[in-house]
Amino acid sequence: MTDYWRNIGFFICVLSIFPLVCFCATFVPVDNYLIDCGATASTSVGTRNFIADNNKDLLSTQEDILATTSLKSVTSSSDDLPLYQTARVFTGSSKYTFKIKQKGRHWIRLYFFPSTYEKYNLSAADFTVSTQNHVLFRSLNMQKDPVMKEYSVNVTSDTLVLTFTPSGNSTAFVNAIEVVSVPDDLIVDDGFALDPSVTSSGLVTQALETVWRVNMGGPTLTPINDTLQRTWVPDQSFLLEPNLASNFSNIKGVKYENRGQATENTAPPTVYGTLTQMNSSNDPRSIFNVTWQFDVSPGFQYLVRLHFCDVVSKALNVLIFNAYVDSKLAASSADPSTTSNNALGVPYYRDLVTAVAVSKTLRVGIGPSDLNKDYPNAILNGLEIMKMNNSMGNLIPGAGSVAITSGSSSKKTGMIVGVSVGVVGAVVLAGLFFVLCRKRRRLVQRQSKTWVPLSINDGTTSHTMGSKYSNGTTLSAASNFEYRVPFVAVQEATNNFDESWVIGIGGFGKVYKGELSDGTKVAVKRGNPRSQQGLAEFRTEIEMLSQFRHRHLVSLIGYCDERNEMILIYEYMEKGTLKGHLYGSGLPSLSWKERLEICIGSARGLHYLHTGYAKAVIHRDVKSANILLDENLMAKVADFGLSKTGPEIDQTHVSTAVKGSFGYLDPEYFRRQQLTEKSDVYSFGVVLFEVLCARPVIDPTLPREMVNLAEWALKWQKKGQLEQIIDQTLAGKIRPDSLRKFGETAEKCLADYGVDRPSMGDVLWNLEYALQLQEAVVQGDPEENSTNMIGELSPQVNNFNQDASASVTQFAGSGLDDLSGVSMSRVFSQLVKSEGR
Ligand SMILES: *[C@@H]1O[C@H](CO)[C@@H](O)[C@H](O)[C@H]1NC(C)=O
Ligand SMILES: *[C@@H]1O[C@H](CO)[C@@H](O)[C@H](O)[C@H]1NC(C)=O
Ligand SMILES: *[C@@H]1O[C@H](CO)[C@@H](O)[C@H](O)[C@H]1NC(C)=O
């Protein structure tokens, strides 16, 4: 009792200190563009005025197409309805350019009504919307109702350019656009990581998409009720068990304090003053959780903001509870009265960063803490779920390739997309270059006793040991001088190209194992004597490899072009090829988890090749012999060295004989000789089955129906009995769900037509999911948590491993590498940059 009154006393005291603080200062956005697209005059919505987009400085588009539609079929009656009446239609890539007066975070709100507009049926329009740095939106599977998509991005340049890009022959459209400044403190840099693997800082630079914004226990709020013109929806429909929850409202109890973290811009009083709490009406002592479930798209991280404000308690320290996001503790024994400076009614929020979502739903729960068994209760006032851009900077899956494939419709579109993707690429490359320079610098320091790269301006001298190595010739066009290595150093490292140190031979030349004087092991690829063609390829290789830096791609350490040599030096991969670990070499067999991790690593490397650069790069020879493992069994894709730049040279590739390795070859590429990233996806599908079954992809010693692994495994996969043919050493060790996911993924990769195959990004996601299923960390789906293992195998199909003497036939150009066991030959090879298709 005494405590209670003391707290009340404090409460009254707090009230008397702060009653005059006024929080009515409204935020005035510096940049405030409200555009009613396709309109001929302004349109007012609530208190805001949207102007027509008939200004040439604002919009650049090929054709001026305004369209109108009828809103009769629309049932909703929101204020913004008039905005959906007119649309701007684009037949080619088009841009809105907004001048930005104050850099920083801005809302981008896009309004779409996919309907019929006079002669345009836009209900199936397929297009993307991007800024200079992020792909924000793709119009797939849109509902037929008007929809507003809200994004917030950090603008760092003087203009914000929104590019609308139709795919193929489709059209793009938009009904209205807002570009509006956001207060700087709305998104702060640091959140709490929900998983140890997550980096939770750097939020300020993230592009965010508002996926859900919910007012717990309260009404819908429209832009007019919110200082930042946001929309909040009620929470009832998201509750898993609505009867366990009850609403509470005390809007007058909300006290924004200037020393508090949350302001009226964080969320309006109607959000903080209403809440959902535990419904303990039957038994006040009962302990349970209140849980909401939201649809999200997997493959992205989410920023989850939980809003709390204790307007329900009558005293301090009685409401102590936990909050969960996807079963992970998001707030532990939270006590809003202490968190908010020992006062009731002071709003605050908590930002949480999730790991990459693997499930299509995200759950948020609240429940009492163990510290408070006497009066169990828990509250939540508001919730925002924001999708974070992926590592490509995008908010839609696989955007790199989406934008590129759209180039087919018109040259101009392709070019503009190319440019916008190029900007993203350039940013990525700039980052890579930075990392690379740092890495090189470290390397150079470490190896200064061994060799010294030649100086940038003069290829014939070097800084300290120049005189010793000054007899080199110059390759003036090669751009990455930092990588140059003197010939004598290469000689030293390879014991003067000792034939017994050869670890592989390919069309381009020999690969030697080498060791620098500091003990660093390297693989040294020495090209055959120079030809014009070879020289061009050598240069391109250096350029490409120094740009393509990724932990899952084998990396370039240096090159040597002295004395007409063409030598490339790569990191040495201790554990050799993936193939060597699967069969035929007597190495100990890998566990399922190790295999999944290797597949995931290589998928990452390939995904990066496909999407990490302005143009997709196609590997063309994906196979287990080209996936190398370091001492920790981390997978790196090798043999990605050769790419083409000019269109003339690309022409030669059209006529080049089909390259690749028999058994892995995409049948569509074989038929049409047209390369796409999906050819790599096909080959990767074969690798997946190879990893699962641990047998050669072509084994002529087997009965006919078993010779080709892809065909044979697909047959069992389609029967749903893949477990019959798996590597016997895995028997009983794979969880059925993990195997199912893995089998389905491999099957999709092997679809006859490239268009039906998943992107490498999708493959990656599915493999990660298969790993999660194996480790049974996927929550909320009891079916997935089965602990049954695949039973012992029927002996019938498992004898082939013994016959696996690996007599692999290959197509021209594939060389001897498959026969040489742990080789990493052909580090140069058949890689081309794909032209916009
Ligand atoms: C939202 O604002 C409108 C107009 O001022 C008002 O009539 C309505 O009551 C407000 N709604 C809420 C939930 O505050
Ligand atoms: C509430 O949810 C969390 C996370 O899912 C769980 O660990 C906890 O046991 C639940 N509590 C109750 C009482 O069900
Ligand atoms: C979002 O994109 C930026 C680059 O624009 C990048 O630095 C950041 O890491 C990305 N976020 C995530 C979660 O990958």
Side-chain angles (χ1 to χ4, degrees):
M1 244 352 196
T2 4
D3 263 354
Y4 177 82
W5 287 112
R6 204 175 60 220
N7 289 337
I8 291 288
F10 180 71
F11 181 42
I12 290 165
C13 177
V14 166
L15 278 185
S16 57
I17 293 169
F18 292 105
L20 299 175
V21 180
C22 174
F23 292 95
C24 36
T26 46
F27 172 72
V28 180
V30 176
D31 296 307
N32 192 21
Y33 294 96
L34 308 174
I35 311 293
D36 185 4
C37 305
T40 47
S42 302
T43 308
S44 43
V45 172
T47 55
R48 299 191 298 164
N49 200 31
F50 284 68
I51 60 165
D53 61 346
N54 47 16
N55 173 344
K56 288 279 171 283
D57 288 341
L58 178 69
L59 172 63
S60 99
T61 184
Q62 284 150 314
E63 283 178 88
D64 224 15
I65 309 176
L66 313 182
T68 58
T69 188
S70 138
L71 292 165
K72 276 200 198 104
S73 61
V74 179
T75 48
S76 103
S77 59
S78 65
D79 288 346
D80 56 15
L81 222 45
L83 294 177
Y84 295 106
Q85 191 129 31
T86 60
R88 179 67 75 162
V89 179
F90 309 113
T91 51
S93 179
S94 303
K95 292 176 183 197
Y96 285 92
T97 304
F98 299 93
K99 292 200 171 60
I100 298 298
K101 290 199 213 91
Q102 188 177 332
K103 292 174 189 171
R105 190 163 286 276
H106 285 68
W107 299 117
I108 298 175
R109 298 191 177 109
L110 304 173
Y111 295 73
F112 301 107
F113 179 32
S115 177
T116 308
Y117 293 71
E118 295 140 1
K119 61 183 175 156
Y120 300 99
N121 180 0
L122 300 177
S123 55
D126 181 4
F127 61 96
T128 57
V129 184
S130 45
T131 67
Q132 294 100 313
N133 302 313
H134 307 282
V135 184
L136 302 178
F137 173 77
R138 178 160 189 189
S139 64
L140 285 181
N141 310 319
M142 281 174 90
Q143 308 277 311
K144 298 286 169 260
D145 293 322
V147 61
M148 188 274 286
K149 307 288 286 179
E150 183 184 274
Y151 305 87
S152 76
V153 300
N154 187 34
V155 181
T156 53
S157 52
D158 295 332
T159 55
L160 173 73
V161 182
L162 286 179
T163 306
F164 288 75
T165 311
S167 303
N169 295 322
S170 190
T171 42
F173 76 98
V174 61
N175 298 81
I177 302 175
E178 291 180 39
V179 172
V180 179
S181 302
V182 173
D184 285 337
D185 54 4
L186 189 69
I187 300 292
V188 294
D189 210 41
D190 289 300
F192 293 90
L194 274 166
D195 187 287
S197 69
V198 167
T199 323
S200 54
S201 58
L203 296 178
V204 163
T205 60
Q206 282 291 314
L208 300 169
E209 174 182 347
T210 309
V211 188
W212 299 106
R213 183 177 286 129
V214 188
N215 179 16
M216 268 62 195
T220 300
L221 297 181
T222 60
I224 213 169
N225 306 109
D226 180 298
T227 55
L228 303 183
Q229 286 79 44
R230 291 163 297 196
T231 301
W232 301 74
V233 301
D235 68 321
Q236 276 78 12
S237 59
F238 303 102
L239 280 164
L240 282 185
E241 289 176 274
N243 56 321
L244 294 182
S246 68
N247 295 345
F248 183 85
S249 169
N250 173 14
I251 295 171
K252 291 215 169 63
V254 180
K255 289 174 286 292
Y256 294 101
E257 282 192 359
N258 55 3
R259 57 179 173 160
Q261 164 203 35
T263 69
E264 193 154 357
N265 289 331
T266 315
T270 318
V271 171
Y272 281 121
T274 58
L275 56 85
T276 293
Q277 61 180 344
M278 292 169 63
N279 177 7
S280 308
S281 56
N282 292 331
D283 175 2
R285 301 263 150 141
S286 56
I287 307 266
F288 56 88
N289 288 337
V290 174
T291 307
W292 296 263
Q293 177 169 301
F294 301 89
D295 291 343
V296 294
S297 41
F300 290 89
Q301 288 182 264
Y302 289 86
L303 173 60
V304 179
R305 177 171 283 189
L306 304 176
H307 296 275
F308 300 109
C309 181
D310 184 357
V311 289
V312 67
S313 299
K314 302 213 164 39
L316 295 173
N317 308 119
V318 294
L319 180 63
I320 302 177
F321 60 95
N322 294 338
Y324 308 92
V325 171
D326 275 344
S327 304
K328 298 213 161 69
L329 262 181
S332 170
S333 295
D335 174 358
S337 62
T338 45
T339 312
S340 45
N341 304 315
N342 284 317
L344 295 171
V346 178
Y348 75 100
Y349 65 86
R350 200 171 164 87
D351 280 342
L352 301 136
V353 180
T354 70
V356 175
V358 292
S359 158
K360 287 186 173 147
T361 56
L362 183 144
R363 286 182 179 188
V364 173
I366 49 169
S369 148
D370 288 345
L371 296 180
N372 188 14
K373 293 227 166 68
D374 295 341
Y375 306 99
N377 195 12
I379 63 165
L380 186 61
N381 303 62
L383 171 70
E384 291 170 89
I385 300 178
M386 292 166 267
K387 190 199 265 185
M388 295 168 57
N389 69 253
N390 62 17
S391 55
M392 303 298 305
N394 299 332
L395 286 160
I396 64 165
S401 34
V402 169
I404 286 160
T405 45
S406 67
S408 57
S409 67
S410 79
K411 271 235 162 72
K412 189 159 181 195
T413 310
M415 195 190 77
I416 292 164
V417 175
V419 168
S420 65
V421 173
V423 170
V424 178
V427 171
V428 171
L429 287 180
L432 282 171
F433 187 70
F434 176 72
V435 171
L436 179 100
C437 290
R438 286 183 31 169
K439 189 168 173 184
R440 282 296 307 162
R441 210 166 297 138
R442 260 184 285 137
L443 193 82
V444 166
Q445 277 159 8
R446 204 182 52 188
Q447 293 168 352
S448 54
K449 297 255 157 48
T450 321
W451 64 44
V452 175
L454 305 184
S455 81
I456 298 217
N457 301 319
D458 181 358
T460 62
T461 56
S462 65
H463 298 301
T464 50
M465 299 166 82
S467 54
K468 193 171 162 194
Y469 299 134
S470 62
N471 54 350
T473 57
T474 352
L475 183 66
S476 55
S479 46
N480 292 276
F481 290 100
E482 257 206 281
Y483 281 81
R484 291 179 82 187
V485 166
F487 184 70
V488 289
V490 187
Q491 274 179 314
E492 204 178 297
T494 56
N495 198 22
N496 200 15
F497 300 101
D498 190 332
E499 284 300 305
S500 68
W501 291 24
V502 171
I503 52 173
I505 302 172
F508 200 90
K510 289 179 182 166
V511 184
Y512 299 80
K513 185 180 165 168
E515 191 171 323
L516 311 181
S517 61
D518 70 348
T520 310
K521 288 183 177 162
V522 291
V524 176
K525 166 81 194 151
R526 189 184 197 188
N528 292 329
R530 248 176 219 188
S531 63
Q532 247 348 90
Q533 176 77 6
L535 184 60
E537 290 173 355
F538 179 66
R539 285 179 187 165
T540 314
E541 164 118 1
I542 294 164
E543 270 161 37
M544 295 303 291
L545 277 182
S546 48
Q547 288 166 357
F548 279 86
R549 288 254 140 188
H550 189 272
R551 62 196 305 240
H552 293 291
L553 300 179
V554 169
S555 55
L556 180 70
I557 287 178
Y559 71 91
C560 172
D561 58 6
E562 285 172 29
R563 307 185 189 176
N564 273 359
E565 291 281 350
M566 294 189 290
I567 296 171
L568 292 173
I569 300 155
Y570 300 90
E571 63 179 316
Y572 183 72
M573 299 293 285
E574 195 69 40
K575 292 255 161 86
T577 67
L578 167 61
K579 184 175 177 177
H581 287 263
L582 292 175
Y583 50 85
S585 66
L587 292 170
S589 98
L590 300 166
S591 72
W592 182 234
K593 184 172 177 234
E594 284 168 338
R595 294 184 204 206
L596 281 174
E597 280 167 349
I598 289 166
C599 293
I600 289 170
S602 6
R604 280 224 170 87
L606 290 172
H607 177 57
Y608 176 73
L609 274 185
H610 290 178
T611 59
Y613 190 57
K615 284 177 178 176
V617 171
I618 302 166
H619 185 286
R620 282 180 89 187
D621 200 9
V622 175
K623 57 181 174 181
S624 58
N626 280 339
I627 293 170
L628 304 182
L629 306 174
D630 74 3
E631 68 275 18
N632 302 315
L633 289 177
M634 186 165 93
K636 299 194 185 210
V637 179
D639 210 351
F640 54 101
L642 195 59
S643 70
K644 301 288 181 179
T645 42
E648 316 79 32
I649 305 177
D650 275 319
Q651 293 301 319
T652 65
H653 272 263
V654 176
S655 56
T656 306
V658 170
K659 286 184 180 170
S661 299
F662 197 42
Y664 293 96
L665 207 55
D666 169 11
E668 191 176 46
Y669 168 45
F670 197 74
R671 282 195 305 270
R672 300 175 50 203
Q673 303 213 0
Q674 196 183 23
L675 265 181
T676 72
E677 301 96 300
K678 296 298 179 71
S679 300
D680 284 351
V681 173
Y682 182 92
S683 309
F684 192 73
V686 180
V687 172
L688 292 180
F689 278 132
E690 200 182 353
V691 162
L692 182 69
C693 304
R695 53 152 282 189
V697 294
I698 299 289
D699 188 344
T701 64
L702 292 172
R704 214 181 132 176
E705 76 277 11
M706 294 170 66
V707 167
N708 183 321
L709 171 64
E711 275 172 28
W712 193 55
L714 268 185
K715 202 172 99 189
W716 288 92
Q717 163 66 18
K718 292 203 163 108
K719 276 200 277 188
Q721 296 178 5
L722 199 54
E723 69 277 6
Q724 298 286 326
I725 61 161
I726 64 173
D727 182 357
Q728 208 167 6
T729 62
L730 295 175
K733 297 186 181 134
I734 310 182
R735 283 174 190 262
D737 293 314
S738 180
L739 179 64
R740 182 169 47 78
K741 189 84 224 166
F742 188 88
E744 282 168 11
T745 308
E747 181 183 5
K748 284 189 196 131
C749 291
L750 296 184
D752 281 339
Y753 295 94
V755 290
D756 298 330
R757 296 175 204 148
S759 70
M760 222 47 230
D762 294 335
V763 173
L764 174 58
W765 180 78
N766 279 289
L767 291 173
E768 279 174 342
Y769 193 47
L771 178 62
Q772 302 259 3
L773 291 170
Q774 177 67 13
E775 305 201 302
V777 294
V778 175
Q779 309 279 350
D781 188 349
E783 185 220 351
E784 310 281 33
N785 282 330
S786 157
T787 49
N788 297 333
M789 297 293 180
I790 305 289
E792 291 302 309
L793 302 178
S794 58
Q796 159 223 351
V797 280
N798 267 285
N799 296 328
F800 56 77
N801 285 339
Q802 281 72 24
D803 315 330
S805 49
S807 55
V808 176
T809 321
Q810 290 197 305
F811 272 66
S814 291
L816 304 165
D817 54 328
D818 270 338
L819 304 174
S820 58
V822 289
S823 82
M824 70 146 286
S825 67
R826 294 187 57 254
V827 176
F828 292 73
S829 73
Q830 311 146 341
L831 171 119
V832 296
K833 223 190 271 181
S834 77
E835 282 301 298
R837 289 169 306 279

